[in-house]
Every structure is written in C-alpha cells, then in structure tokens.
Amino acid sequence: MAKAVWLPFAAILLQAAAPGAGGCLPPEKAAERMDEYSSNPRSPATYRALAGLGDPLIAPFPYDYRSRGSLFEAPLEWHERKALIDRMLPEQRSDPTYWVPEEGHCRLDHPLWLARARMAALGAEHPYVRQWFAVQKAVFEACINRTPQGARPLPSPIELRDPALAALQEDDRAYQQASRLFYEKSPRAPEAFRRISASASRHAPIARYMMLVIKAEWELPRASPRPAAVAKEASGPPPIVAVGSGSPERRPPDVMAAVADAQAVLADPRFASVHPLTQALIGSIAWNSANDYGERGFAPRAVELRTTQLRLALQALRLPTRRLATDRSAGERY
C-alpha cells in the first residue's frame, strides 16, 4: 500500500524536477527510473526524488554497499592493477597461478591513481616514472614488513633539467617521505604531512587527509605524571628513583578532536578533492563508536557521532542539482 502511494508521488516529482542536463525525462524513462527507485528505496536518488529535490542522474544505482569512495580511486582491470602493483610493492610471495598481492598495511588507492597519472603524462618507461616506482617500492617496504627495520632508504632523487619535472619530483618525493614515516609510525609523520598540506604542493589535499587519519587512528603516548617531591634529610644518601624500562603507556586516539578537524576540512574548498574521503572517515568513526571504538570507551559519544554523520550525509544529499552534476567532489559525496 505504501509503495502504491509513494510511487505515483515520485513520478510527479521526477517529471517536475530538472535532471542534471536540464529538462524533464520522457515518460518511458521516468517509468524506468521509478522501477529503480522501487528496487533501491534507500538510494540517494530515491531520497531526492521523494524530497522533491530532483534526481541529478549522475550515478548508477548501487546493488551492494560498495561504491567509489574517493576521487583518487581509479577503476582498473585485473591485469592492469597487477602490473602496477608488481612495480610498486616489494617482491610478492603469492601463488603465481592465483595472484593475490601481499599488501600488508599499505594504502594502495592513491599511489595507483598517481602511477596512472604519471604514466599518462610522461609514458610508462620515462626515467622519472621508473624513479617514482623505485621510490614507492621503498616506501611500501615499511608497510609490507610492518616494521621500519630492514626497509632500505629511499633512492636518491635523479637529476632533471626540466624545471617543471624537477618541481614534480620535489612534490612527489616529499609526500613519499611523509608516507614512509606514516608506515613507520614515526612521531615525525604528522609534521611532515602538515608541511605539505600548508604548501602549494599538488599533494596538499591528500596530506591534509592523512593528518586526519593519524588523529583518528593512532594511539597517543599518555603524559607521564610528575614525580612527587621527596623530602630528604640534610644528611644521608639521596633518594632512590626507579626508572622504568618499558614502553610509555598509550591512550586511545581522540576521535572527537578528529571529527571536529574533519568538519573543518569539509568546510575548506582547498581540500575539495578529499571531501568524499573525509566524510567516509567520519562515517567510519561513527559506526565504530558502538563497535570497535566502543571497547575503548567511546560508546558514550556514539549518539553525538551518529548525529554528526547523519547531518553531513543530509548536507551532501541536499546540494543543488546543478552543483551535483558539475562539481565532481560534491557528486562523490552524494
């Protein structure tokens, strides 16, 4: 009964609302779209149609929960992905008849996107492209091994006479060095990403996002209490002070600070390319607040986190149709 009521209502709104290219859909297309709404009642397009906001027609209906979550993700055929990963990761210990890379804790999406961009601009065998792959392989040794020990230093920069290419190498190398520090869990990693994000580097947006990842995921050293003052007699030996040899106590990440920082990123147009990733990170934190993070004491903030997640989702869904059709970052958030 409910479907019988809302489907005609959706049809009226669909005919009245201008799609991304402008104008109304012909009746046969409107009927086809209504079938999709019925099959996908929780989709963004269905929400907009029922809310009278207009279906921007910018994305296919998903049939599972997975979809592109980043502007940096590049759809790759299996053989293309394998070829790129073979050039980026250390030697694989996988069955050659059924290739599954041993990725460790490596984050592959952005480097795969970068690899394709560099190859498209310069050619697959350009000297700088070969250099970029060599450096990236050294970066990934730290996350494959799950330890900085045994990972070789990054190869030295190559000499480039083209000023534009030399600047590209400088930007790429700074980000690769910061990534290596990230995989080593080095305390210098946040500052390395901060410097990149504050610069004119083409990697500034993704570096700003990695600062959020560190804030949301890394455990922090707990401040050591100040030793109590010990009164000592004028005569006699000095007091004995026990010095522990173990690792400093750690405390969970401050996810509320990470969420507040993430909202600042979403409000900054300079970092528009990582807005979809940033919104996804907030969603992950909110979901984990009652699951993984709940075990670490974040459950009391679950309602606050879920409310923030919902508010941002509705904000992304309610953007003007024309902006969704022309702004790629807004379309990805939608």
Side-chain angles (χ1 to χ4, degrees):
M1 178 64 184
K3 185 181 291 187
V5 171
W6 72 257
L7 278 178
F9 177 62
I12 294 171
L13 292 174
L14 186 62
Q15 286 294 308
C24 297
L25 289 176
E28 64 275 11
K29 290 294 184 182
E32 181 181 307
R33 202 68 175 169
M34 285 171 58
D35 288 341
E36 294 284 10
Y37 298 151
S38 177
S39 301
N40 299 274
R42 296 185 179 183
S43 75
T46 304
Y47 171 84
R48 285 184 63 91
L50 289 174
L53 297 172
D55 181 351
L57 306 175
I58 61 173
F61 280 87
Y63 291 95
D64 58 25
Y65 69 90
R66 290 166 296 187
S67 63
R68 283 194 308 163
S70 164
L71 302 185
F72 299 118
E73 291 181 21
L76 294 168
E77 296 294 335
W78 179 86
H79 67 279
E80 187 180 6
R81 179 181 175 87
K82 178 183 185 302
L84 291 176
I85 289 179
D86 278 344
R87 292 186 71 176
M88 283 195 295
L89 291 183
E91 184 178 350
Q92 295 298 304
R93 297 184 295 276
S94 56
D95 183 349
T97 61
Y98 184 73
W99 182 81
V100 178
E102 185 178 340
E103 299 179 3
H105 293 162
C106 304
R107 294 169 174 255
L108 294 177
D109 284 334
H110 183 245
L112 283 170
W113 177 85
L114 274 178
R116 292 191 74 188
R118 299 296 175 264
M119 290 168 62
L122 301 170
E125 297 304 324
H126 188 280
Y128 177 65
V129 172
R130 292 201 300 269
Q131 168 73 4
W132 183 91
F133 275 108
V135 176
Q136 194 62 42
K137 182 171 286 192
V139 168
F140 279 153
E141 283 182 357
C143 51
I144 287 290
N145 298 331
R146 296 177 173 82
T147 172
Q149 294 160 358
R152 61 197 172 101
L154 300 187
S156 300
I158 61 175
E159 184 177 349
L160 296 166
R161 295 183 178 180
D162 182 347
L165 204 52
L168 177 68
Q169 177 175 234
E170 185 177 353
D171 281 356
D172 283 353
R173 188 173 182 83
Y175 185 78
Q176 288 172 316
Q177 288 172 325
S179 298
R180 175 64 173 264
L181 293 172
F182 172 81
Y183 290 127
E184 292 175 350
K185 289 292 182 77
S186 168
R188 293 183 293 151
E191 176 58 21
F193 284 125
R194 189 204 64 76
R195 285 197 302 270
I196 296 170
S197 71
S199 72
S201 168
R202 62 207 80 204
H203 300 291
I206 192 67
R208 185 67 179 88
Y209 172 74
M210 292 305 296
M211 292 170 63
L212 296 177
V213 171
I214 291 173
K215 187 172 286 190
E217 296 181 1
W218 281 22
E219 292 186 339
L220 305 170
R222 196 181 296 275
S224 301
R226 292 185 125 193
V230 178
K232 69 171 186 173
E233 298 177 5
S235 61
I240 297 175
V241 179
V243 179
S245 59
S247 300
E249 188 180 356
R250 314 293 289 182
R251 59 184 172 85
D254 187 347
V255 291
M256 299 311 298
V259 168
D261 196 17
Q263 292 181 81
V265 171
L266 287 174
D268 194 331
R270 292 176 301 163
F271 304 125
S273 61
V274 295
H275 285 176
L277 279 172
T278 302
Q279 183 158 331
L281 179 65
I282 293 173
S284 175
I285 291 172
W287 185 88
N288 278 300
S289 65
N291 295 278
D292 298 344
Y293 284 131
E295 298 175 3
R296 297 197 247 171
F298 298 126
R301 313 302 291 267
V303 172
E304 183 180 352
L305 288 166
R306 283 295 201 183
T307 301
T308 299
Q309 178 191 15
L310 178 60
R311 177 177 57 79
L312 292 172
L314 290 174
Q315 180 188 90
L317 287 172
R318 292 171 176 170
L319 289 172
T321 302
R322 184 171 298 278
R323 181 175 172 190
L324 290 175
T326 57
D327 182 334
R328 189 178 175 191
S329 179
E332 288 286 354
R333 287 185 67 192
Y334 163 80

